[in-house]
Amino acid sequence: MPQPWDQHPLAADLDLALGAVRRASRLCRHVQASLDLGVLRKDDRSPVTVADFGAQALVCRDLLEERPQDAVIAEENADALRGDRHADTLARVVSEVQRLAPGADAETVCRWIDHGTDEHPAPRAWTLDPIDGTKGFLRADQYAVALALLIDGEVALGVLGCPNLGPRLGDSPGEDESGGTFYAALAGLGAWRVSGEGTVAEPLRVSPQDDPAHLRFCESVESAHTAHGDAQRVRELLGIEAAPQRIDSQAKYAVVARGEAEGYLRLPRGGDYRERIWDHAAGMLVVTAAGGRVTDVAGRPLEFGHGHALVNNRGVVASNGRLHDRLIAALRELGIAGD
Ligand code: AMP
Ligand code: MG
């Protein structure tokens, strides 16, 4: 089917990324519909599920087969699945993957997952969060499958699958496995909402609103991921009364890109946490290609070319653009601009 990006040099990469994210999202929906999500704890105590591993296996399979030379920097690895202790989890991951990749055996699935363990960006490197917002997934709230292509350290293409996000906030995401909404962006060309069947539903455009009385913000549900109190101080300084929308995952970027919020604040809680590239690359491009702006709390552009972490950035501020300088000035005035 014709797409608005057909003439772009990265058109085939975008089609590949959309197909991979669609299949991974189907797997996530199928796992979520079961009673047992197969939760393990990683070394840092954060949760990981059968769906995280399965989604990473499916996306990495496509990248390995179609773009074998490209690096892949993804969140998960198969270490935990290879030992005897988690044989049951591995069996479930394999059976979920087989629904979309018939014939895959356990060794192949682990090999696909581990295809995503590159450390450093090659000239072309994909970054994948198979389930961004795992805590949202566990609560049956928002989560996202996030895939982006970095070329020489710059985000060139981004795709988000948001299986629990309807076309508008509050709308149902639909019942079947291809439900939810998908977002595609190409640097310099644009951003689109894409249906579960793969057709473009609408071009994305940020909200033109800049009147404080009408501004809407979103932020993480998890208080460990952002300083909710500092965001409240920013809103008070700008005279914004509306309570923020709390949404897990990069679905927040989709909400800003489609004009349902003017801002997204992710404010450091102290300590030396550095944001991960797979948590922001795709979402950042979806917002900027829809006409918005994304920087860190000091107003610096996000730098994706230094490995896993955004080592030169602190926190994230996404906006409709019009608001951006005022937000950065408010953060500076309140002493939240980072180091
Ligand atoms: P969200 O759903 O927007 O709250 O973000 C989920 C992501 O937050 C996860 O994928 C983690 O990689 C990331 N994360 C974990 N710890 C922190 C932290 N201390 N500060 C910011 N983000 C974090
Ligand atoms: Mg994540």
Side-chain angles (χ1 to χ4, degrees), residues 172-229:
S172 152
E175 292 300 320
D176 65 81
E177 271 184 40
S178 61
T181 48
F182 298 84
Y183 302 85
L186 278 170
L189 187 65
W192 306 269
R193 179 163 70 80
V194 178
S195 76
E197 290 72 43
T199 50
V200 166
E202 58 177 350
L204 297 172
R205 215 48 223 163
V206 293
S207 156
Q209 187 61 254
D210 64 358
D211 173 357
H214 297 287
L215 294 177
R216 298 155 299 176
F217 277 69
C218 54
E219 63 188 14
S220 287
V221 175
E222 298 293 329
S223 57
H225 297 171
T226 188
H228 286 145

Side-chain angles (χ1 to χ4, degrees), residues 119-155:
E119 297 274 332
H120 298 290
R124 276 178 53 107
W126 297 85
T127 186
L128 167 69
D129 196 340
I131 295 193
D132 180 35
T134 304
K135 289 180 179 162
F137 178 76
L138 294 174
R139 286 189 252 97
D141 280 342
Q142 294 304 327
Y143 63 97
V145 179
L147 179 63
L149 173 61
L150 309 175
I151 298 184
D152 297 327
E154 302 282 332
V155 188

Side-chain angles (χ1 to χ4, degrees), residues 75-76 128-134 144 146 249-250 266 273 276 278-280:
E75 179 164 16
E76 310 303 341
L128 167 69
D129 196 340
I131 295 193
D132 180 35
T134 304
S249 83
Q250 287 170 71
R266 190 179 191 90
Y273 184 81
R276 304 286 181 248
W278 51 75
D279 283 333
H280 299 287

